[in-house]
Amino acid sequence: MTETLWTAVDHYIDGMLVPADAALDAAIETSNAAGLPPIAVTPSQGKLLHLLARIQGARNILEIGTLGGYSTIWLARALPAGGRLITIEADRKYAEIARANILRAGLGGLVELRVGLALEVLPRVAAEGGGAFDLTFIDADKKNIPAYFAFALKLSRRGSVIIVDNVVRDGRVIDALSSDPDILGIRRFNDMLAAEPRVSATAIQTVGAKGHDGFAIALVTGDL
Ligand code: SAH
Ligand code: DHB
Ligand code: MG
C-alpha cells in the first residue's frame, strides 16, 4: 500500500514537473529491452541531479556507474558548451547500450564513456591530470563506495560536490550487525564522511517508484 502510494506520487510529480523526453524515454526503453536491471534513478531523481549540477555550475562531472546512460544524460544536459562528463561502466554490454543512448541524446561530444572496473579506471583518470571535477555522482557497486569516495575526494577541489546514491537501502543502513558487503560499504562510507574534516555532508531518505533509499551529498569545504 505504502509503496503504491509513493509510486503514485512519483507519477504525479513527474506529470507536473518532469515532462516526457524522447532521449530519456528511449534510454529507459532500450535498457529494458536489452534486459538491463531497472535500477536507473527515477525521473524526478534524475532531474534533481540535473538541477544540482546546474546550481553547482558544474563544467566537469564524474559519474561512477553508467548502466544504460539515463543519469548520464540528465547530468550531461546540465553542462555548458565545452563541459565534460566522464562516466565509468564495468559491463561491456551495458556500456554499448549507454553509448547509443548518449549519442541519441546528442551528447556524444560532451560525454566520455570509460569501460572497465572503476577501481582500475579511476587511477588512470587521476593520472591524466585533467583537473578537478566540480561534481561526482557515485552509483556503482555499493561495497566499493568507500574507495570511490576516497577517489572522488582526491579528484575534487574546494567547492566540489559529491553525491552518492543508495545509502539507505530500505533502512538496512542502520543494521550495525549486517554482514551484507553493500551495507558494510555504505556504513564504512558514513564513518568516513563523519570523520572527514574537509567535507560538510548530509543524507536524505527518498521514497518513490524505487522504494525506500537515499542520497548522500557532500560539499568539499576544505582545501585538498
Ligand atoms: N547511474 C545509473 C545506474 C547505475 S546502476 C542511472 O541512474 O541511470 C550501477 C552500475 O554500476 C551498473 O551498470 C553496474 O554494471 C555498474 N558497476 C558495478 N560494479 C562496477 C565496478 N566495479 N566498476 C564500474 N561499474 C560498476
Ligand atoms: C541497485 C543499484 C543501484 O544503483 C540502485 O539505484 C538500485 C539498486 C542494485 O544493485 O540492486
Ligand atoms: Mg543507484
Side-chain angles (χ1 to χ4, degrees):
M1 180 59 202
T2 336
E3 188 139 1
T4 312
L5 181 59
W6 299 341
T7 302
V9 174
D10 252 356
H11 290 155
Y12 167 77
I13 292 169
D14 294 348
M16 298 293 284
L17 304 175
V18 194
D21 174 277
L24 287 166
D25 294 349
I28 294 299
E29 279 157 25
T30 57
S31 296
N32 290 341
L36 273 57
I39 56 176
V41 293
T42 64
S44 57
Q45 291 173 350
K47 189 157 183 185
L48 173 67
L49 293 172
H50 170 88
L51 291 172
L52 288 170
R54 283 175 63 182
I55 290 164
Q56 165 70 344
R59 305 181 58 88
N60 283 287
I61 297 177
L62 174 64
E63 177 179 66
I64 307 173
T66 318
L67 192 66
Y70 183 77
S71 57
T72 314
I73 293 170
W74 272 114
L75 285 166
R77 283 182 173 174
L79 289 168
R84 187 176 74 127
L85 184 154
I86 294 180
T87 185
I88 304 173
E89 173 54 51
D91 188 294
R92 286 200 164 276
K93 179 182 136 187
Y94 298 179
E96 236 175 81
I97 304 288
R99 198 180 301 283
N101 286 327
I102 290 160
L103 288 175
R104 184 187 296 106
L107 296 165
L110 297 177
V111 176
E112 271 178 55
L113 173 57
R114 309 273 179 104
V115 184
L117 294 171
L119 289 178
E120 292 175 9
V121 176
L122 285 165
R124 295 202 283 270
V125 172
E128 286 162 17
F133 291 96
D134 308 309
L135 184 150
T136 298
F137 178 47
I138 298 174
D139 191 20
D141 51 324
K142 311 312 164 192
K143 67 177 184 305
N144 283 319
I145 291 176
Y148 298 151
F149 177 68
F151 260 108
L153 257 188
K154 202 181 326 178
L155 294 168
S156 290
R157 53 159 173 92
R158 196 207 308 212
S160 292
V161 171
I162 300 168
I163 304 169
V164 183
D165 193 22
N166 310 115
V167 298
V168 173
R169 309 264 68 191
D170 293 304
R172 286 184 293 128
V173 65
I174 63 172
D175 180 2
L177 301 178
S178 176
S179 54
D180 178 335
D182 291 355
I183 300 301
L184 289 169
I186 294 162
R187 289 179 61 86
R188 208 146 46 79
F189 160 64
N190 285 327
D191 291 338
M192 284 170 82
L193 265 188
E196 176 53 69
R198 297 168 299 177
V199 306
S200 180
T202 191
I204 284 292
Q205 302 184 66
T206 55
V207 296
K210 282 184 77 181
H212 175 207
D213 215 321
F215 290 105
I217 301 187
L219 174 67
V220 179
T221 51
D223 288 318
L224 297 166

